[in-house]
Amino acid sequence: MYLYLIRYSEIFLKSEFVRRKWEKKLIENIERVVNVKVKKNRGRIYLISDEIIDEKLKKVFGIVSFSRVIHCKLNELDERVVEFCREKIGNAKTFAVRVKRVGTHNFTSLQKASELGSLILKNFPNLKVDLKNPEFELHVEIRDNDCYIFSEIVRGAGGIPIGVEGKVVSLFSAGIDSPVATYMMMKRGCEVLPIFFNLGKFYEGKAIERVKSVERVLKEYYPDFEVHVVNHEDFIEKALKVLKEEKKLSYMCLICKRRMYKVAEDYAKEYGALGIVTGESLGQVASQTLDNLYVLSKACSIPIYRPLIGMDKVEIERIAREIGTYEHSILPVECKVAPKKPKTRGKLEVIEDLEKKIYKC
């Protein structure tokens, strides 16, 4: 049997009503990925599990950190600390004791840390105290008459629980950028509905395989994550015909992307989503110049969220590696209709005129 102490941060800062609501959502999200018994106690959630669940907890948004802990009563603390140290100290030569306390006691946190430090020195005379950079760190959290002993704090995904901020639709190509943008919106509490526009014969490489591969990674963070696939091949065929006739092939990327925005808006309205998420970063490619982002934004009436807008490629790739999508996102995929010299400053009136002709086909 394993006992986990779960920590969150932003939830704790909310009003009582919102805090209870968000705590409930966090617990629901935890219970969807692990089979546990749950207890709550003033800013802490405790999980009782039959197995080690560290890797799954690391991917639950809303958890800032967690620890596997040993529980005991206050009058048992000294004995259990010595037992715990015997098991965990290993070859460490220096140590520190950190105590946090909630409730009314006849000692302060510093006094209790000093007492426990003296107890450890008595039982382990080869150890030395090092409060700045110890090789072994003993943590004790005292809450009224209950004590929780641990030596490791594991970083969680952070953010706030998925579902507390409603739904958004994500334009999801499964390249490096869109999974990171999707991840960042999930981290901020959004339920994300990803939509992939399949260019069919106009793709070269493993487009569908890449989407499914990245989908599996993000399912570890959000079990309901499922990519909706839209046929975009027919539209591209019509657009290609008109743009060739009009000698405006440089507009292909903008025409293609605006169509994605329009379809995503309809999808959002159908499922009650409140915006569209994209992986666009200012100036990264031709369609993402300030002029072109303006033109793209005019394609729909609902909000467009671009969490990567001010990030460079190095920063985005770093996050992709951290969350586990990078290796899947670099599967080779190429768009066959991308122009050699794409328009960097698209004119809205020109694009709207071209679209009228395409939609008439």
Side-chain angles (χ1 to χ4, degrees):
M1 194 73 68
Y2 301 94
L3 176 63
Y4 285 85
L5 184 156
I6 307 297
R7 304 176 191 87
Y8 52 75
S9 59
E10 291 184 61
I11 297 175
F12 188 75
L13 301 174
K14 302 299 178 182
S15 67
E16 182 69 18
F17 173 77
V18 174
R19 184 179 61 77
R20 286 199 305 266
K21 183 179 176 182
W22 285 23
E23 275 184 345
K24 182 181 177 183
K25 177 57 73 172
L26 176 56
I27 290 169
E28 287 175 1
N29 291 348
I30 291 171
E31 290 179 327
R32 295 181 68 194
V33 296
V34 290
N35 182 23
V36 291
K37 293 180 181 177
V38 181
K39 295 193 300 180
K40 287 195 304 178
N41 181 4
R42 284 184 293 177
R44 292 287 187 263
I45 295 172
Y46 301 95
L47 309 178
I48 302 170
S49 172
D50 290 332
E51 59 182 348
I52 294 174
I53 53 175
D54 296 45
E55 292 305 313
K56 292 180 179 178
L57 292 180
K58 286 178 184 177
K59 295 179 178 178
V60 177
F61 291 111
I63 296 178
V64 172
S65 67
F66 61 89
S67 298
R68 239 183 292 164
V69 302
I70 301 296
H71 171 258
C72 68
K73 294 300 182 181
L74 189 55
N75 62 356
E76 305 169 323
L77 181 58
D78 287 3
E79 180 183 350
R80 297 303 293 275
V81 161
V82 172
E83 290 175 359
F84 184 84
C85 289
R86 242 183 225 117
E87 182 182 341
K88 298 289 186 179
I89 283 178
N91 296 321
K93 295 179 180 178
T94 59
F95 80 102
V97 178
R98 320 290 189 193
V99 174
K100 286 187 177 181
R101 186 179 58 84
V102 176
T104 303
H105 303 95
N106 60 358
F107 54 82
T108 66
S109 297
L110 285 175
Q111 286 172 340
K112 182 54 69 174
S114 179
E115 289 176 15
L116 293 174
S118 297
L119 178 67
I120 292 171
L121 286 172
K122 179 181 176 180
N123 284 271
F124 304 90
N126 292 329
L127 285 178
K128 291 183 179 180
V129 175
D130 183 348
L131 298 180
K132 291 185 178 179
N133 189 29
E135 293 178 21
F136 172 74
E137 203 164 22
L138 175 74
H139 294 267
V140 178
E141 190 162 306
I142 302 172
R143 304 179 76 83
D144 297 322
N145 193 41
D146 291 295
C147 302
Y148 301 90
I149 307 166
F150 55 96
S151 59
E152 185 179 10
I153 299 175
V154 181
R155 181 184 170 192
I160 56 182
I162 288 180
V164 301
E165 288 292 348
K167 299 176 184 177
V168 290
V169 172
S170 171
L171 299 185
F172 195 80
S173 70
I176 293 170
D177 302 333
S178 60
V180 173
T182 297
Y183 170 91
M184 292 177 73
M185 294 303 287
M186 291 195 294
K187 186 174 182 177
R188 297 313 303 162
C190 292
E191 180 183 340
V192 179
L193 309 177
I195 182 169
F196 170 67
F197 291 83
N198 187 6
L199 275 63
K201 66 184 180 183
F202 298 110
Y203 266 141
E204 185 173 301
K206 302 179 178 180
I208 294 295
E209 292 92 328
R210 184 174 73 174
V211 168
K212 291 300 179 184
S213 187
V214 176
E215 179 186 62
R216 284 192 292 271
V217 174
L218 292 180
K219 268 183 176 290
E220 295 176 10
Y221 295 91
Y222 179 44
D224 284 347
F225 191 84
E226 188 170 347
V227 179
H228 176 65
V229 179
V230 171
N231 177 2
H232 202 48
E233 181 179 350
D234 295 343
F235 174 80
I236 293 299
E237 201 146 32
K238 294 176 184 177
L240 197 58
K241 179 176 179 294
V242 170
L243 294 178
K244 280 181 178 178
E245 291 172 354
E246 300 291 325
K247 297 185 173 158
K248 298 284 187 187
L249 283 171
S250 62
Y251 277 89
M252 174 57 83
C253 292
L254 290 171
I255 293 288
C256 174
K257 197 71 173 283
R258 276 173 58 90
R259 173 63 174 173
M260 292 179 182
Y261 276 55
K262 293 174 188 292
V263 173
E265 180 176 26
D266 292 339
Y267 190 63
K269 289 176 179 178
E270 181 180 353
Y271 288 93
L274 301 176
I276 297 170
V277 180
T278 80
E280 292 157 335
S281 170
L282 185 59
Q284 188 178 121
V285 295
S287 66
Q288 294 171 22
T289 63
L290 203 56
D291 295 80
N292 284 347
L293 289 176
Y294 171 80
V295 167
L296 292 173
S297 298
K298 289 293 183 179
C300 61
S301 59
I302 64 174
I304 298 164
Y305 301 104
R306 298 180 172 104
L308 312 185
I309 193 69
M311 299 175 68
D312 61 37
K313 199 66 176 182
V314 173
E315 293 173 295
I316 297 167
E317 288 180 354
R318 175 183 57 78
I319 297 173
R321 287 188 173 93
E322 287 177 357
I323 66 178
T325 57
Y326 181 82
E327 293 301 324
H328 304 271
S329 292
I330 59 175
L331 284 173
V333 177
E334 184 179 347
C335 175
K336 294 181 181 179
V337 292
K340 291 181 179 179
K341 293 184 178 181
K343 201 74 174 174
T344 57
R345 292 188 174 183
K347 301 297 182 184
L348 184 59
E349 60 273 18
V350 173
I351 290 173
E352 289 177 337
D353 182 60
L354 290 169
E355 286 175 337
K356 288 176 185 177
K357 294 174 182 177
I358 292 168
Y359 294 137
K360 282 181 182 178
C361 289

